[in-house]
Amino acid sequence: MGATLSLPEDFSAHGPRIDALLRHSLVASVALFALAMAILLALVRKGRRRTRSEPFAPDAERWFSRAAVMLAAVMLAGLDLPLIARAERDLRTALWAFPHGASVVRVEVMAHRWSWSFRHPGADARFGTPDDVVSLRELRVPLGAPVSLSLTSNDVVHEFYAPGLRLGQDAIPGRYTRAWFRPTRLGAIEVVCAQYCGWAHPTMRAVVRVLPRADFDAWITEESRESQRLYDGGIRRPDTAWSFDP
Amino acid sequence: MNTARVDVPPGGAARALLLLSGVGYALGGLFAMLLRWTLGFPASGPSMATYGVLFTLHGTAMIFFALTPLLSGLSHALLPRWLGHPTMASSRAGWASFALTLVGLGGLLGGLALPLGGASTGWTAYPPLSLSAASPSAAQTLFSVALLCAGLGALVAAVNVLATLARGARTAVVPLAAWGFGLSSGLTVLFVPVLVAAQSLLIADRHLATRFFAASGDTLRYQHLFWIFGHPEVYALALPVWAMVSDLLAEHTGREALGRRAVIVSFCAVAALGSLVYGHHLFAVGLGPLAAKAFMTLTVAVSVPSSVVVLSWFATLWGASLRIDAALLYALGSIELFVLGGLTGIPLGAVTTDLYLHGTAFVVGHFHLVMASSLTLGLCAALHRWFPVLCGRALSERLGRWHATLTFALVHVVFVGMLGLGLAGVPRRVSELTWLPSLARYAPWNRLLSLAAFALGVAQLLLAWSVLDALRRSPKESR
């Protein structure tokens, strides 16, 4: 048998929140399932021993209605509302609390069949200029900095899915979608496409490489200078939504 | 039967629909076996490109050409009897539904013979993948036509069910199944037109140079339309089955279903809520925060009426004497799988966990536990109960028990296994994990699940044999 099934190693700051909520709903589900099955098994075992069904008590309907209301209340208060509240809090304070400011590493993600390209704004911090750094299939990011992605696609719908970052976001032609993460550990995280995009869909992958800050700065400075040097004067139109970013 | 005493033989259209659904199940199952071959043994199985065609055909066949005509057939065969009428409101509507569904199936399979091969966009056929640039084969157009025909077929049958129900009941107690089929037909009448619209616009985009769903138009619009239909469709398929399970338990224990009114209210609540939750299929497209949170809340709220339905099943079994026959075995299995499958929907309803899981095998495991496992076992229970009425002869009790037990055990291996793969981050619709180095270590799991799926496929031959044997031996006059 192959590897044991487990959540992939987490590299992102908001990963633990998702893992905690997953664990929460799995534990609650297993508990509810076990309870329901224990009742079902007991009912079946007793039922097999009876020779005749006992008639319902005259007020059985009323008891059932009460039990149904109680069950509904327990499901709502015990399972649904805490789950919704936690997910809502995580969305508000983490997943959809998009970072702003100079410390943010902004990246444009262009999905295409069957690869990913990434564009950094380069030394001038502006997209669509000669010093932009474009890479194919590898996204380099510095450790600890918030990385904000603007995703789009130039053909069909794809999904940027990085299990190690607990991150899934569609890349849709004609639109920009956003996602962000903050890498907390050095390493390489695989990115796959999680929206079927044609026959070679399984081959559509990339790597997010988390570098120490100094290494990232050295790399981006060098690459940005190289881009500037190799720039042929052609028009580099910014095709991201970054111009709208506050 | 404690609820209806009128003996009405099922019409020809009902039997035709049931036979057609048998063909649909056989084809859908065959495609499932082939795609599991690629997943488990990519070196020898069908290619990566063929795999795309296979999962498209599998899902489409199972939803539109197996489950849907089976339910239409059952409603057309049994509703007159349950309501005490000699026939359905229209005797032609059943045949129209059959003809439309048959043409649809022809279109779906006909695409395979075309030069560029069959449709391979998944049953959802999201544009721009399904537009001409990415899917030049005419089979993709035929696919949309097939969905149009099957949708219209379901619509005609649903209108007939509603018209029949509108005549009122002449029996003392209307079985819950009549409510189930009525609500299901209501959902079909409301939402199948949305599917028809989506497919019509898609065909226009492919052939009339319109841009409803092109990147220069709004490609997301299709996803909204598809799931406005697609999610209620799940409940349109589920409600009649839950209702038939309720009736079966009540009949089996020789008493009425306890909490009948609460169950009917719960069915209505499920149908209403189920019409308002489709957005949970779109959490990853960047819905606004308000929309996403509203869809999350409504989705998770479905657990409330669903749990009341389960409670009523337990209450019906309370203090009852049970004789475990094949039909009850199927029904109990269906209940267990409904609880299991329903609970696995919870992490998919919460936005943050869904963003991690929604493109993975977890989703496949979840909806196969509910639709492929729980609904199928519930339908087998109904089939065992009603086969004497449908064909004048009972299905084999022994084969039924074997089939129920084997299917019950094997769906757990296959689909709970998929839940595990999804939690580990394995995306769905990836034919070969070796392409993804970080996930390649899970390839042996896929092999194991494929072997279990093959066994599950073989186990279905027991049911096929049982049905064919009963049909062969059924007395001529009752046909």
Side-chain angles (χ1 to χ4, degrees):
Chain A
M1 202 63 239
T4 32
L5 293 168
S6 61
L7 286 171
E9 237 182 314
D10 174 57
F11 286 80
S12 80
H14 67 228
R17 290 181 185 235
I18 290 178
D19 293 359
L21 195 61
L22 265 179
R23 218 165 285 130
H24 170 95
S25 56
L26 285 181
V27 167
S29 301
V30 168
L32 275 172
F33 178 74
L35 177 68
M37 287 313 110
I39 296 173
L40 185 62
L41 274 179
L43 287 171
V44 170
R45 271 178 47 190
K46 283 195 170 172
R48 292 186 71 177
R49 272 189 246 122
R50 278 193 202 92
T51 46
R52 281 217 329 257
S53 293
E54 297 160 9
F56 285 125
D59 55 352
E61 271 301 319
R62 196 148 45 88
W63 277 106
F64 180 82
S65 302
R66 283 183 195 162
V69 170
M70 270 178 52
L71 178 66
V74 167
M75 290 295 286
L76 264 180
L79 181 70
D80 297 355
L81 293 178
L83 189 83
I84 292 169
R86 283 182 72 166
E88 199 277 334
R89 185 200 62 198
D90 290 347
L91 287 175
R92 190 164 31 82
T93 60
L95 269 75
W96 290 346
F98 288 96
H100 295 294
S103 67
V104 179
V105 176
R106 295 173 302 153
V107 182
E108 170 203 316
V109 181
M110 176 63 82
H112 37 86
R113 303 206 292 171
W114 284 280
S115 185
W116 301 90
S117 53
F118 304 98
R119 187 202 291 240
H120 292 266
D124 66 355
R126 285 174 56 217
F127 283 95
T129 52
D131 70 344
D132 287 1
V133 175
V134 177
S135 58
L136 188 69
R137 285 183 183 252
E138 181 169 289
L139 168 61
R140 295 189 168 198
V141 295
L143 179 68
V147 180
S148 195
L149 309 177
S150 170
L151 304 100
T152 190
S153 158
N154 65 7
D155 42 43
V156 303
V157 180
H158 301 275
E159 182 182 333
F160 182 93
Y161 181 56
L165 296 170
R166 306 293 186 273
L167 191 73
Q169 184 67 51
D170 281 2
I172 302 167
R175 291 187 170 241
Y176 297 100
T177 52
R178 301 184 64 185
W180 80 281
F181 63 94
R182 191 161 60 78
T184 51
R185 292 167 50 196
L186 298 175
I189 305 129
E190 186 160 50
V191 178
V192 303
C193 178
Q195 179 68 54
Y196 190 74
C197 55
W199 69 273
H201 165 68
T203 67
M204 183 163 167
R205 56 181 291 272
V207 167
V208 174
R209 204 171 293 285
V210 184
L211 305 175
R213 183 83 223 192
D215 292 8
F216 174 79
D217 288 343
W219 171 77
I220 195 87
T221 310
E222 170 60 25
E223 286 297 312
S224 186
R225 198 179 301 133
E226 192 65 4
S227 284
Q228 183 90 48
R229 192 177 67 77
L230 294 173
Y231 184 57
D232 60 1
I235 297 165
R236 279 209 176 163
R237 195 170 46 82
D239 45 6
T240 75
W242 288 121
S243 45
F244 305 112
D245 194 39
Chain B
M1 184 69 193
N2 61 348
T3 49
R5 309 215 173 272
V6 187
D7 199 19
V8 186
R15 288 181 185 180
L17 279 164
L18 291 172
L19 276 179
L20 183 61
S21 90
V23 174
Y25 264 109
L27 287 169
L30 179 69
F31 297 137
M33 295 298 104
L34 291 172
L35 75 87
R36 276 311 324 180
W37 185 8
T38 299
L39 283 169
F41 308 91
S44 62
S47 71
M48 195 188 273
T50 311
Y51 172 79
V53 178
L54 288 170
F55 72 68
T56 304
L57 288 172
H58 165 66
T60 314
M62 286 303 195
I63 298 287
F64 290 102
F65 302 103
L67 277 167
T68 303
L70 177 55
L71 286 170
S72 299
L74 284 174
S75 66
H76 280 62
L78 299 170
L79 209 53
R81 173 189 180 91
W82 290 337
L83 298 176
H85 295 298
T87 56
M88 292 290 284
S90 158
S91 52
R92 291 203 192 121
W95 283 112
S97 173
F98 169 76
L100 282 163
T101 313
L102 187 64
V103 170
L105 186 58
L108 183 72
L109 299 177
L112 289 174
L114 292 175
L116 293 171
S120 57
T121 54
W123 80 291
T124 54
Y126 283 176
L129 183 61
S130 54
L131 298 180
S132 303
S135 296
S137 170
Q140 194 63 47
T141 304
L142 270 183
F143 176 84
S144 285
V145 172
L147 256 52
L148 268 177
C149 291
L152 289 172
L155 188 65
V156 172
V159 169
N160 199 19
V161 166
L162 291 177
T164 307
L165 285 169
R167 290 164 151 189
R170 294 185 197 147
T171 44
V173 182
V174 178
L176 281 169
W179 280 91
F181 279 110
L183 286 167
S184 159
S185 302
L187 290 173
T188 302
V189 167
L190 278 175
F191 295 111
V192 162
V194 184
L195 173 75
V196 170
Q199 299 309 321
S200 306
L201 298 180
L202 193 62
I203 294 170
D205 272 8
R206 288 180 59 83
H207 295 288
L208 303 175
T210 54
R211 290 177 184 182
F212 295 109
F213 305 136
S216 54
D218 184 358
T219 188
L220 263 190
R221 194 179 285 144
Y222 177 91
Q223 295 194 20
H224 282 278
L225 291 176
F226 188 85
W227 288 112
I228 285 174
F229 151 78
H231 202 81
E233 171 70 8
V234 173
Y235 295 105
L237 299 173
L239 282 167
V241 181
W242 299 348
M244 287 191 289
V245 167
S246 289
D247 287 338
L248 190 110
L249 293 184
E251 186 186 24
H252 198 92
T253 58
R255 305 179 303 191
E256 279 188 22
L258 192 61
R260 185 181 157 87
R261 203 177 331 151
V263 172
I264 292 172
V265 170
S266 300
F267 284 168
C268 295
V270 167
L273 280 174
S275 308
L276 300 170
V277 300
Y278 81 90
H280 65 230
H281 294 270
L282 280 80
F283 283 153
V285 306
L287 289 176
L290 179 65
K293 289 169 188 175
F295 280 125
M296 162 168 74
T297 308
L298 289 164
T299 300
V300 178
V302 179
S303 65
V304 172
S306 311
S307 60
V308 173
V309 173
V310 175
L311 183 70
S312 87
W313 289 334
F314 289 180
T316 306
L317 294 175
W318 188 277
S321 156
L322 296 178
R323 202 174 23 80
I324 307 280
D325 59 7
L328 187 66
L329 215 49
Y330 280 123
L332 292 172
S334 170
I335 292 172
E336 190 267 359
L337 285 158
F338 172 59
V339 174
L340 180 61
L343 286 170
T344 59
I346 286 173
L348 298 173
V351 180
T352 55
T353 41
D354 177 75
L355 288 175
Y356 174 64
L357 291 173
H358 110 281
T360 69
F362 189 93
V363 175
V364 185
H366 160 69
F367 69 71
H368 278 81
L369 283 172
V370 177
M371 316 253 314
S373 311
S374 178
L375 292 193
T376 299
L377 284 193
L379 283 163
C380 285
L383 203 63
H384 262 259
R385 165 62 186 88
W386 294 107
F387 208 80
V389 172
L390 300 175
C391 292
R393 194 177 186 285
L395 290 172
S396 156
E397 188 59 29
R398 206 162 57 93
L399 284 175
R401 284 174 194 222
W402 273 105
H403 175 250
T405 311
L406 286 172
T407 304
F408 180 78
L410 288 165
V411 291
H412 281 84
V413 179
V414 178
F415 302 125
V416 175
M418 286 185 190
L419 296 177
L421 283 174
L423 281 169
V426 173
R428 63 191 288 204
R429 295 175 172 174
V430 166
S431 55
E432 205 175 327
L433 281 183
T434 44
W435 284 102
L436 307 171
S438 70
L439 299 167
R441 64 181 187 278
Y442 295 126
W445 280 95
N446 255 343
R447 213 140 47 226
L448 176 79
L449 297 194
S450 285
L451 291 174
F454 296 153
L456 180 60
V458 171
Q460 302 318 299
L461 297 178
L462 291 176
L463 177 68
W465 170 252
S466 173
V467 169
L468 291 175
D469 188 50
L471 286 177
R472 189 170 57 84
R473 288 202 261 166
S474 88
K476 268 275 178 277
E477 63 272 22
S478 79
R479 281 213 177 162

